Amino acid sequence: MLRHLEALKQTSSVTEYQQHFEELTHGIILHNPAFDDTYLVTRFLGGLKEEIRAAIALHRPKDVDTTSALTLLQEEELENSKKKIIHRDQSKSAYKAFSRVDKPKTIDSGKSKIKPVENKLGSLKAYCR
């Protein structure tokens, strides 16, 4: 069981990871109650996804219950921020679609169409002569 605890990694939600962790720790503590909170908190943090682990480690939680609660809050906050980013990106793309103004690429000057840059260059050359 100890090997399973050491190899445990978060692959889905924090809730599922937390359930697997609790199952393994209960079995370990039944056989050896000498494991302290520091070891269990370290193992719990070690298996979390990096984006969650970094924020929780800053709090330096003292027990697994506190670590679990902070982890659930962090996961919820990450999901909310991802939703905000997706919503913001969608609104930006919608704004770009409505605010796009088609600029004329050519200027109609009688018989042929001349690009604005060529027209300016021709005017400059004529002025210099």
Side-chain angles (χ1 to χ4, degrees):
M1 282 198 173
L2 192 55
R3 277 192 226 151
H4 293 287
L5 183 65
E6 293 287 332
L8 184 63
K9 298 288 181 194
Q10 180 191 359
T11 56
S12 57
S13 71
V14 170
T15 306
E16 288 182 30
Y17 173 74
Q18 185 179 20
Q19 289 171 349
H20 291 300
F21 186 85
E22 286 177 6
E23 289 170 7
L24 293 170
T25 55
H26 285 297
I28 291 170
I29 292 175
L30 277 174
H31 296 293
N32 187 356
F35 286 102
D36 63 347
D37 281 336
T38 304
Y39 172 77
L40 296 176
V41 167
T42 303
R43 278 306 325 133
F44 189 86
L45 287 173
L48 289 171
K49 291 180 181 177
E50 180 61 34
E51 59 190 9
I52 296 176
R53 180 185 330 139
I56 304 305
L58 292 174
H59 293 283
R60 297 184 181 187
K62 302 294 182 199
D63 57 19
V64 177
D65 290 336
T66 305
T67 308
S68 297
L70 289 171
T71 305
L72 289 169
L73 290 171
Q74 182 63 26
E75 180 183 49
E76 185 179 328
E77 185 60 34
L78 283 173
E79 288 174 4
N80 287 340
S81 66
K82 287 178 184 177
K83 287 178 185 176
K84 287 178 185 177
I85 290 171
I86 290 170
H87 179 69
R88 190 176 341 142
D89 290 344
Q90 289 173 348
S91 64
K92 282 182 181 179
S93 63
Y95 175 75
K96 287 179 183 177
F98 288 118
S99 66
R100 180 178 289 155
V101 177
D102 292 331
K103 296 179 182 176
K105 295 185 181 181
T106 59
I107 298 175
D108 190 11
S109 62
K111 298 177 185 174
S112 66
K113 296 192 179 230
I114 302 171
K115 293 181 182 174
V117 174
E118 292 175 357
N119 191 18
K120 288 180 182 179
L121 184 60
S123 297
L124 182 61
K125 286 180 181 178
Y127 176 76
C128 289
R129 288 185 199 146

